[in-house]
Amino acid sequence: MSKLTVHLADEAATLALGQQLAAALQEGDGGVIFLEGDLGAGKTTFSRGFIRALGHDGAVKSPTFTLVEPYELPALSVYHFDLYRLADPEELEFLGIRDYLRPGSVCVIEWPSKGDGVLPKPDLVITIALDNQARRASLDAFSERAQRWLQALG
């Protein structure tokens, strides 16, 4: 396992971290990224930077009520999940979670603990925490490809 900690001074730094991670992906990379942190920590801000850097030019909103927002991009598909309102992990089966977990797609999942027992193991876990007036992002890689991503972020 590899780990990287990044100081995020402001919203722009959080967006930039998402952009940098997107730039680290190689053609054919898919994977599962868990985003952890309190409400307002910057999980959706990170996702916005990540998804826009992969080629989406529209709005990136939190899928709090829809549970998932799909982004069919030129190089890959990104599925942004927000499980905050999930009442039971089994609801993910009704949502068709396995259809989203296919090669060449990236699933970015906020509040992954709400899907315990149903979600696969992540490639990367990003935990965003308040650090005085700023934030701190801890990135933990659990696969070879995620280790490669962290090396690129260096």
CSV table of all heavy atoms in Angstrom, one decimal, residues 102-124:
chain,number,residue,atom,x,y,z
A,102,ARG,N,-17.4,-1.8,-14.4
A,102,ARG,CA,-16.9,-2.6,-15.6
A,102,ARG,C,-15.6,-2.0,-16.0
A,102,ARG,O,-15.2,-0.9,-15.7
A,102,ARG,CB,-18.0,-2.5,-16.7
A,102,ARG,CG,-18.3,-1.1,-17.2
A,102,ARG,CD,-19.3,-1.2,-18.3
A,102,ARG,NE,-19.4,0.1,-19.0
A,102,ARG,CZ,-20.4,1.0,-18.7
A,102,ARG,NH1,-21.2,0.8,-17.8
A,102,ARG,NH2,-20.4,2.1,-19.4
A,103,PRO,N,-14.8,-2.8,-16.7
A,103,PRO,CA,-13.5,-2.3,-17.2
A,103,PRO,C,-13.6,-1.0,-18.0
A,103,PRO,O,-14.6,-0.8,-18.7
A,103,PRO,CB,-13.0,-3.4,-18.1
A,103,PRO,CG,-13.7,-4.7,-17.6
A,103,PRO,CD,-15.1,-4.2,-17.2
A,104,GLY,N,-12.7,-0.1,-17.7
A,104,GLY,CA,-12.7,1.2,-18.4
A,104,GLY,C,-13.6,2.2,-17.8
A,104,GLY,O,-13.7,3.3,-18.4
A,105,SER,N,-14.2,1.9,-16.7
A,105,SER,CA,-15.0,2.9,-16.0
A,105,SER,C,-14.4,3.2,-14.7
A,105,SER,O,-13.8,2.4,-14.1
A,105,SER,CB,-16.5,2.4,-15.9
A,105,SER,OG,-16.6,1.4,-14.9
A,106,VAL,N,-14.6,4.4,-14.2
A,106,VAL,CA,-14.2,4.9,-12.9
A,106,VAL,C,-15.4,5.2,-12.1
A,106,VAL,O,-16.2,6.0,-12.5
A,106,VAL,CB,-13.2,6.1,-13.0
A,106,VAL,CG1,-12.8,6.6,-11.6
A,106,VAL,CG2,-12.0,5.8,-13.8
A,107,CYS,N,-15.5,4.6,-10.9
A,107,CYS,CA,-16.5,4.9,-10.0
A,107,CYS,C,-16.0,5.7,-8.8
A,107,CYS,O,-15.1,5.2,-8.1
A,107,CYS,CB,-17.2,3.6,-9.5
A,107,CYS,SG,-18.1,2.7,-10.7
A,108,VAL,N,-16.4,6.9,-8.7
A,108,VAL,CA,-16.0,7.8,-7.6
A,108,VAL,C,-17.2,7.8,-6.6
A,108,VAL,O,-18.3,8.1,-6.9
A,108,VAL,CB,-15.8,9.2,-8.1
A,108,VAL,CG1,-15.4,10.2,-7.0
A,108,VAL,CG2,-14.7,9.2,-9.2
A,109,ILE,N,-16.9,7.3,-5.4
A,109,ILE,CA,-18.0,7.0,-4.4
A,109,ILE,C,-17.8,7.8,-3.1
A,109,ILE,O,-16.9,7.5,-2.4
A,109,ILE,CB,-18.1,5.5,-4.1
A,109,ILE,CG1,-18.2,4.7,-5.5
A,109,ILE,CG2,-19.2,5.2,-3.2
A,109,ILE,CD1,-18.1,3.2,-5.3
A,110,GLU,N,-18.7,8.7,-2.9
A,110,GLU,CA,-18.7,9.5,-1.7
A,110,GLU,C,-19.5,8.7,-0.7
A,110,GLU,O,-20.5,8.0,-1.0
A,110,GLU,CB,-19.4,10.9,-1.9
A,110,GLU,CG,-18.6,11.8,-2.8
A,110,GLU,CD,-19.2,13.1,-2.9
A,110,GLU,OE1,-19.8,13.7,-1.9
A,110,GLU,OE2,-19.2,13.7,-4.0
A,111,TRP,N,-19.1,8.7,0.6
A,111,TRP,CA,-19.8,8.0,1.7
A,111,TRP,C,-19.8,6.5,1.5
A,111,TRP,O,-20.8,5.8,1.6
A,111,TRP,CB,-21.2,8.5,1.9
A,111,TRP,CG,-21.3,10.0,2.3
A,111,TRP,CD1,-21.5,11.0,1.4
A,111,TRP,CD2,-21.0,10.6,3.6
A,111,TRP,NE1,-21.4,12.2,2.1
A,111,TRP,CE2,-21.1,12.0,3.4
A,111,TRP,CE3,-20.7,10.1,4.8
A,111,TRP,CZ2,-20.9,12.9,4.5
A,111,TRP,CZ3,-20.5,10.9,5.9
A,111,TRP,CH2,-20.6,12.3,5.7
A,112,PRO,N,-18.7,5.9,1.1
A,112,PRO,CA,-18.6,4.5,0.8
A,112,PRO,C,-19.0,3.6,2.0
A,112,PRO,O,-19.5,2.5,1.8
A,112,PRO,CB,-17.2,4.2,0.4
A,112,PRO,CG,-16.4,5.3,1.1
A,112,PRO,CD,-17.3,6.5,1.1
A,113,SER,N,-18.9,4.1,3.2
A,113,SER,CA,-19.3,3.2,4.4
A,113,SER,C,-20.7,2.8,4.3
A,113,SER,O,-21.1,1.8,4.9
A,113,SER,CB,-18.9,3.9,5.7
A,113,SER,OG,-19.7,5.1,5.8
A,114,LYS,N,-21.6,3.6,3.7
A,114,LYS,CA,-23.0,3.3,3.5
A,114,LYS,C,-23.2,2.1,2.6
A,114,LYS,O,-24.3,1.5,2.6
A,114,LYS,CB,-23.8,4.5,3.0
A,114,LYS,CG,-23.7,5.7,3.8
A,114,LYS,CD,-24.7,5.7,4.9
A,114,LYS,CE,-24.8,7.0,5.6
A,114,LYS,NZ,-26.0,7.1,6.4
A,115,GLY,N,-22.2,1.7,1.9
A,115,GLY,CA,-22.3,0.5,1.0
A,115,GLY,C,-21.5,-0.7,1.4
A,115,GLY,O,-21.3,-1.6,0.7
A,116,ASP,N,-21.1,-0.7,2.7
A,116,ASP,CA,-20.3,-1.8,3.2
A,116,ASP,C,-21.0,-3.1,3.0
A,116,ASP,O,-22.2,-3.3,3.1
A,116,ASP,CB,-20.1,-1.6,4.8
A,116,ASP,CG,-19.0,-0.7,5.1
A,116,ASP,OD1,-18.2,-0.3,4.2
A,116,ASP,OD2,-18.9,-0.3,6.3
A,117,GLY,N,-20.2,-4.1,2.5
A,117,GLY,CA,-20.7,-5.4,2.3
A,117,GLY,C,-21.2,-5.6,0.8
A,117,GLY,O,-21.3,-6.7,0.4
A,118,VAL,N,-21.4,-4.5,0.1
A,118,VAL,CA,-21.8,-4.6,-1.3
A,118,VAL,C,-20.8,-4.1,-2.2
A,118,VAL,O,-20.6,-4.6,-3.3
A,118,VAL,CB,-23.2,-3.9,-1.5
A,118,VAL,CG1,-23.6,-3.9,-2.9
A,118,VAL,CG2,-24.3,-4.6,-0.6
A,119,LEU,N,-20.2,-3.0,-1.8
A,119,LEU,CA,-19.2,-2.3,-2.7
A,119,LEU,C,-17.9,-3.2,-2.8
A,119,LEU,O,-17.5,-3.9,-1.8
A,119,LEU,CB,-18.8,-1.0,-2.1
A,119,LEU,CG,-19.8,0.1,-2.2
A,119,LEU,CD1,-19.3,1.4,-1.5
A,119,LEU,CD2,-20.2,0.4,-3.7
A,120,PRO,N,-17.2,-3.2,-3.9
A,120,PRO,CA,-15.9,-3.9,-4.0
A,120,PRO,C,-14.9,-3.1,-3.2
A,120,PRO,O,-15.1,-2.0,-2.8
A,120,PRO,CB,-15.6,-3.8,-5.5
A,120,PRO,CG,-16.3,-2.6,-6.0
A,120,PRO,CD,-17.5,-2.4,-5.1
A,121,LYS,N,-13.7,-3.7,-3.1
A,121,LYS,CA,-12.6,-3.1,-2.5
A,121,LYS,C,-12.2,-1.9,-3.4
A,121,LYS,O,-12.2,-2.1,-4.6
A,121,LYS,CB,-11.4,-4.0,-2.2
A,121,LYS,CG,-11.7,-5.1,-1.2
A,121,LYS,CD,-10.6,-6.0,-0.9
A,121,LYS,CE,-11.0,-7.0,0.1
A,121,LYS,NZ,-9.9,-7.9,0.4
A,122,PRO,N,-11.8,-0.8,-2.8
A,122,PRO,CA,-11.3,0.3,-3.7
A,122,PRO,C,-9.9,0.2,-4.2
A,122,PRO,O,-9.1,-0.5,-3.5
A,122,PRO,CB,-11.5,1.5,-2.7
A,122,PRO,CG,-11.1,0.9,-1.4
A,122,PRO,CD,-11.7,-0.5,-1.4
A,123,ASP,N,-9.6,0.9,-5.3
A,123,ASP,CA,-8.3,1.0,-5.7
A,123,ASP,C,-7.6,2.1,-4.9
A,123,ASP,O,-6.4,2.0,-4.5
A,123,ASP,CB,-8.2,1.4,-7.2
A,123,ASP,CG,-8.7,0.3,-8.1
A,123,ASP,OD1,-7.9,-0.7,-8.2
A,123,ASP,OD2,-9.8,0.3,-8.5
A,124,LEU,N,-8.4,3.2,-4.6
A,124,LEU,CA,-7.8,4.3,-3.9
A,124,LEU,C,-8.9,4.9,-2.9
A,124,LEU,O,-10.1,4.9,-3.3
A,124,LEU,CB,-7.5,5.4,-5.0
A,124,LEU,CG,-6.9,6.7,-4.5
A,124,LEU,CD1,-5.5,6.5,-3.9
A,124,LEU,CD2,-6.9,7.7,-5.6
